[in-house]
Amino acid sequence: MTDFAPALGTLGGLLIGCGAGLLLLRNGRIAGISGILAQTLWPSAGEERGWRIMFLIGLPLGAAVVTVFRGPLTLEIHSDPLWLASAGILVGVGTRLGNGCTSGHGVCGIARKSPRSLGATATFLSVGAITVFVTRHLLGLGQ
Amino acid sequence: MKSWATALLSGGLFGAGLAISEMTNPARVIGFLDITGEWDPTLAFVMGAALVVSFLSVQLAGRDGSAAAQPPASGIDASLLCGAALFGVGWGLAGLCPGPALAALISGSTDVILFVGAMVVGMAGFEIAQRYRRPPTHAA
């Protein structure tokens, strides 16, 4: 269980928005993380890897800067390895099939008033909530 | 090389934001999705604040005529919704999505490494299935 942290949440959200805004305004690119990762691993014709690799390196580096000030990241994971691996595979397949994740659809796409992103975000939020309800409350798994 | 520096800074801001708001902590994400339990609304504040800034930058980019500021021409289809639903199940099971998982790699947690590895395997599986279904067309 985690305590509601509106101030840190807002601060973090502003930083995420600045990151996405910077990439859009300076590079004309969308900060969709699943897409950036997939295009880095298997680039389509004419797509370059360089800036994508830099963006991906930036993610853990930015988190590392935060740990300097706030100490190590808190990671409360109550799932066993098989559970985590299954979840990872679903996230990998789902974000490719659905063309984006929380960043590309949730943060960037909705800001562009994309109906696709709105539809995707509404879907993964509701399915995520149903999944937690079923696993945690109906099946009593994963604490 | 300037675009590389911008991308590094952009990823850095993104990763810092995810870490400060603790979106890198699966328990916090699951706490948000757990609307019938001890609900933690933090994620809504993260997404809301990120959307405000993102929306303003889209307006600025649109004024400069950036194509990336335009919504896609295609509409909602079955693969979009199926993909988002599969992603939703995985997100609800682990409390991790691609950005926070990659940012949390800095912790060295074997759980996070396992999740990211499995995610890449899932993406690779999709990639292989795509190529099998539609052989790559070479630009003339």
Side-chain angles (χ1 to χ4, degrees):
Chain A
M1 211 198 86
T2 49
D3 293 322
F4 180 35
L8 288 176
T10 304
L11 176 62
L14 292 175
L15 288 172
I16 292 168
C18 288
L22 183 69
L23 199 66
L24 176 66
L25 289 167
R26 295 284 295 269
N27 290 6
R29 294 292 187 166
I30 301 294
I33 292 167
S34 53
I36 290 177
L37 177 60
Q39 284 292 340
T40 300
L41 296 170
W42 310 280
S44 310
E47 291 293 342
E48 56 156 320
R49 274 191 164 122
W51 72 266
R52 293 185 165 92
I53 294 172
M54 298 308 282
F55 180 89
L56 293 174
I57 292 172
L59 290 171
L61 278 186
V65 171
V66 172
T67 64
V68 171
F69 298 100
R70 293 181 45 84
L73 294 180
T74 309
L75 285 172
E76 298 163 79
I77 300 178
H78 306 293
S79 324
D80 65 41
L82 188 65
W83 180 290
L84 275 176
S86 320
I89 289 173
L90 285 169
V91 169
V93 173
T95 52
R96 295 316 297 140
L97 183 63
N99 238 302
C101 56
T102 342
S103 53
H105 282 312
V107 174
C108 300
I110 291 183
R112 293 154 78 207
K113 296 183 201 148
S114 155
R116 279 173 62 81
S117 293
L118 253 169
T121 306
T123 304
F124 63 65
L125 280 174
S126 0
V127 174
I130 293 167
T131 303
V132 171
F133 179 75
V134 171
T135 52
R136 183 178 273 190
H137 300 295
L138 293 186
L139 305 175
L141 302 169
Q143 274 301 309
Chain B
M1 292 311 103
K2 215 170 152 188
S3 75
W4 287 26
T6 305
L8 181 66
L9 182 59
S10 166
L13 286 167
F14 218 111
L18 291 168
I20 285 183
S21 57
E22 287 193 350
M23 292 298 105
T24 42
N25 182 5
R28 198 172 268 292
V29 174
I30 291 178
F32 173 76
L33 294 172
D34 189 11
I35 44 176
T36 62
E38 309 243 14
W39 192 46
D40 174 1
T42 305
L43 190 147
F45 281 69
V46 179
M47 207 153 163
L51 264 174
V52 169
V53 182
S54 179
F55 182 78
L56 292 175
S57 40
V58 167
Q59 299 307 306
L60 278 175
R63 232 190 286 163
D64 302 339
S66 167
Q70 302 301 317
S74 52
I76 294 174
D77 51 36
S79 51
L80 178 85
L81 297 180
C82 290
L86 289 177
F87 166 46
V89 174
W91 193 36
L93 288 178
L96 282 167
C97 55
L102 292 173
L105 282 175
I106 199 72
S107 68
S109 151
T110 48
D111 284 336
V112 175
I113 295 169
L114 172 68
F115 178 87
V116 170
M119 180 174 84
V120 169
V121 167
M123 288 181 167
F126 176 80
E127 201 68 25
I128 291 164
Q130 281 293 93
R131 285 180 192 182
Y132 183 74
R133 274 175 53 195
R134 266 190 274 135
T137 44
H138 298 284

